[in-house]
Amino acid sequence: MAATIPLFPLGTVLMPGASLPLHIFEPRYRQLTVDLVTGAVPGKEFGVIAVREGYDTDRDGMGALEPVGCTARLLDVRRLPDGRYDIVTEGARRFRLLELDDSTHSYLCGSVEWLPDDGTATEADDLTRMLATAARAAHRAYCAAAWKSDDWTEPAKGVGPAELAHVLAADCLLPMADRQALLEERVPLERLRMVRRLLARERGLLQTLHAVPTPMATFAEDFGPN
């Protein structure tokens, strides 16, 4: 069943269960923040969806956006003296964008369908337990190579296999295309295989090149007609 939610296009991919702090300064998203706080937006939940590199939502509409995003649930708000906001959110539900609405509100809205997982994964299953253990080991090895020891923590033991891949990827500097692929994968065991493979690859690159991926937008410049 389709639902309509506010959209916040960003140059990143939000994962379910991941924390996302945001600094709100644009007038349209200040209004979205007000609507979230006052309850005009039900559930204090809005959609975060990645903008394709080189595209602009105001110019390219839906063509600028990835097909799948994740809702962010508002956890905390701090209003600054000049009317800006600092907010803390957490990734919640995945959705597929069906239609874009840029006229009803000052901020974008979208008609979406929710994307539950295909199948289940439980700790009692031997294959699930093996893949979860391997994914956690790949995460530890990546973080040991990428961060100082006090810059990261292991996910809690209570994180289930369906959520684990997203949580492991959340604090790792994976390329956007890989993060988007993880978000779109709906089979929990495949997500665990994928995140283990990606983190092992990135650890190898770190050790060889001593470098982490940087979005192409970091180097982008707008060129004039001449």
Side-chain angles (χ1 to χ4, degrees):
M1 182 179 296
T4 299
I5 60 172
L7 292 179
F8 199 128
L10 281 177
T12 189
V13 178
L14 176 62
M15 300 284 186
S19 177
L20 178 65
L22 293 170
H23 178 66
I24 308 297
F25 57 90
E26 282 191 62
R28 55 183 165 177
Y29 296 118
R30 292 190 197 184
Q31 183 60 54
L32 171 58
T33 304
V34 171
D35 289 351
L36 290 165
V37 171
T38 61
V41 173
K44 297 186 177 181
E45 197 172 3
F46 61 97
V48 171
I49 192 162
V51 181
R52 300 177 192 271
E53 290 185 346
Y55 287 81
D56 180 87
T57 52
D58 290 334
R59 182 188 66 221
D60 302 309
M62 275 191 65
L65 302 174
E66 295 288 353
V68 173
C70 178
T71 63
R73 186 175 295 115
L74 185 65
L75 301 180
D76 189 46
V77 181
R78 184 166 68 97
R79 189 181 189 277
L80 304 178
D82 61 0
R84 294 173 297 150
Y85 293 90
D86 286 332
I87 69 175
V88 177
T89 72
E90 182 179 73
R93 296 184 286 176
R94 291 173 299 169
F95 62 86
R96 184 182 306 281
L97 181 61
L98 303 176
E99 190 175 353
L100 200 60
D101 176 4
D102 60 1
S103 60
T104 303
H105 298 278
S106 58
Y107 46 82
L108 289 175
C109 290
S111 174
V112 305
E113 63 177 359
W114 306 114
L115 292 181
D117 275 339
D118 290 335
T120 59
T122 65
E123 295 283 4
D125 178 73
D126 288 342
L127 177 58
T128 301
R129 190 164 53 248
M130 180 187 70
L131 290 173
T133 299
R136 283 179 177 273
H139 177 260
R140 283 194 298 271
Y142 171 91
C143 290
W147 313 119
K148 296 178 181 178
S149 59
D150 57 351
D151 285 343
W152 65 280
T153 57
E154 290 199 44
K157 291 184 178 180
V159 177
E163 297 82 26
L164 182 59
H166 292 140
V167 175
L168 292 176
D171 62 352
C172 299
L173 297 177
L174 296 173
M176 268 190 63
D178 292 333
R179 294 175 66 85
Q180 186 66 34
L182 271 172
L183 183 67
E184 294 183 17
E185 177 56 63
R186 297 174 62 183
V187 179
L189 294 186
E190 288 304 316
R191 277 201 305 270
L192 288 171
R193 289 189 178 97
M194 185 184 299
V195 77
R196 186 210 63 78
R197 184 173 64 251
L198 292 173
L199 292 179
R201 183 200 69 193
E202 292 300 315
R203 173 175 175 258
L205 291 173
L206 277 169
Q207 292 179 325
T208 302
L209 303 176
H210 304 285
V212 294
T214 301
M216 290 300 294
T218 304
F219 309 103
E221 295 182 8
D222 290 331
F223 295 96
N226 296 320

